[in-house]
Amino acid sequence: MKYLLVIEDEQNVAAFIQKGLREEGYEVLLAYDGAAGLELLQQHPVDLVILDLILPGTNGLEVCRQIRSGEHSEIPVLMLTALGSTENVVSGLDSGADDYLTKPFKFKELLARIRALLRRRDRTELPSRMLSIADLVLDRDTKVATRSGREIKLTATEYRLLEYFMKNPRRVLSRIDLLENVWDINFDMGTNVVDVYVNYLRNKMDKGFPSKLIHTVIGMGYILKEEKA
């Protein structure tokens, strides 16, 4: 049985989520503020956290940062909020959230996101593999990327995006393809979050180097490839 922690200050929303998830076979813990949620996380085994952004006391962004910086850093976090702008999405993901769902939402959509995140966590990868293209190297054991020997600091989302690019070098990747495989979302969220994160990667791994590796294919998506001399 999977244990889910719901941190949500609107008690009717929390009860609705708890009832629906229990009917789907999940065990659900409830907390109505950030501090109580973090305390429950220390006391009980949890497979996934559903976290409201706006909470009394410690807000969802700070709760997510604390989860990511502590002993439970690998637990998937699905952020819920009524704030659905690109800036809010990016802030949530930058704090360490794995996915982002805007209120109001359909329960079936919430359930699909939860299943996708749990599948991602349960996936097993081959041990110790290095990915490389040109002078860019990604160590999947240490989660460290380097270019020409210089380390590139990446957030969790940037790492997943770069890893997917490097698993598919010289292949045009559409925005939907990236959403499905990096964010586990099989539809367009209506925001430019993919473009925002591709630009983040470009600024970190292409800026200051003589050749660019991430290229835009107009009307189709993006491709990771070496520039021709």
Side-chain angles (χ1 to χ4, degrees):
M1 178 180 290
K2 299 290 187 182
Y3 285 79
L4 311 183
L5 170 60
V6 177
I7 308 176
E8 166 63 69
D9 65 318
E10 295 182 48
Q11 295 191 22
N12 58 333
V13 175
F16 164 74
I17 294 172
Q18 183 182 51
K19 180 177 183 296
L21 292 178
R22 282 183 170 172
E23 289 174 356
E24 293 294 326
Y26 296 103
E27 185 60 45
V28 182
L29 306 171
L30 290 184
Y32 301 117
D33 61 66
L38 290 169
E39 186 174 346
L40 277 175
L41 193 59
Q42 297 295 326
Q43 296 172 354
H44 300 275
V46 171
D47 296 287
L48 181 142
V49 176
I50 300 170
L51 175 63
D52 189 28
L53 177 60
I54 301 175
L55 294 168
T58 307
N59 66 33
L61 293 177
E62 181 56 34
V63 171
C64 192
R65 292 188 188 103
Q66 290 191 39
I67 291 172
R68 286 289 170 258
S69 64
E71 60 183 297
H72 304 289
S73 61
E74 298 302 316
I75 294 176
V77 176
L78 171 60
M79 193 164 279
L80 303 178
T81 184
L83 307 174
S85 70
T86 297
E87 291 76 14
N88 295 127
V89 172
V90 170
S91 294
L93 295 173
D94 275 351
S95 71
D98 296 278
D99 201 355
Y100 196 102
L101 188 58
T102 303
K103 298 176 181 177
F105 54 84
K106 294 181 179 179
F107 181 76
K108 286 184 178 179
E109 183 180 356
L110 173 66
L111 194 59
R113 301 289 187 93
I114 290 169
R115 286 171 174 162
L117 289 174
L118 291 174
R119 281 198 305 271
R120 180 195 293 171
R121 192 186 191 206
D122 291 341
R123 286 180 196 142
T124 57
E125 291 189 336
L126 294 175
S128 185
R129 279 190 292 171
M130 305 282 283
L131 299 174
S132 64
I133 182 170
D135 57 348
L136 177 66
V137 178
L138 184 66
D139 186 329
R140 297 169 70 193
D141 279 345
T142 62
K143 311 295 185 187
V144 171
T146 58
R147 185 160 185 195
S148 294
R150 183 193 308 172
E151 183 175 343
I152 302 167
K153 299 291 186 181
L154 300 172
T155 65
T157 303
E158 290 166 353
Y159 172 83
R160 290 199 304 270
L161 180 58
L162 179 58
E163 182 183 42
Y164 189 68
F165 269 123
M166 295 187 73
K167 285 179 179 177
N168 297 276
R170 306 170 195 90
R171 173 186 162 198
V172 177
L173 302 174
S174 69
R175 289 169 179 81
I176 293 297
D177 192 8
L178 293 169
L179 282 171
E180 288 180 350
N181 290 281
V182 177
W183 284 273
D184 278 320
I185 300 170
N186 58 7
F187 57 89
D188 192 336
M189 293 191 301
T191 76
N192 61 339
V193 66
V194 170
D195 308 88
V196 169
Y197 272 91
V198 168
N199 284 330
Y200 282 172
L201 270 187
R202 278 177 163 154
N203 286 333
K204 290 187 176 184
M205 56 178 272
D206 279 349
K207 192 174 182 179
F209 292 94
S211 62
K212 308 305 177 187
L213 292 177
I214 296 181
H215 306 270
T216 301
V217 181
I218 297 174
M220 299 179 69
Y222 299 99
I223 186 170
L224 180 72
K225 66 177 184 177
E226 307 94 328
E227 280 187 327
K228 293 182 179 179

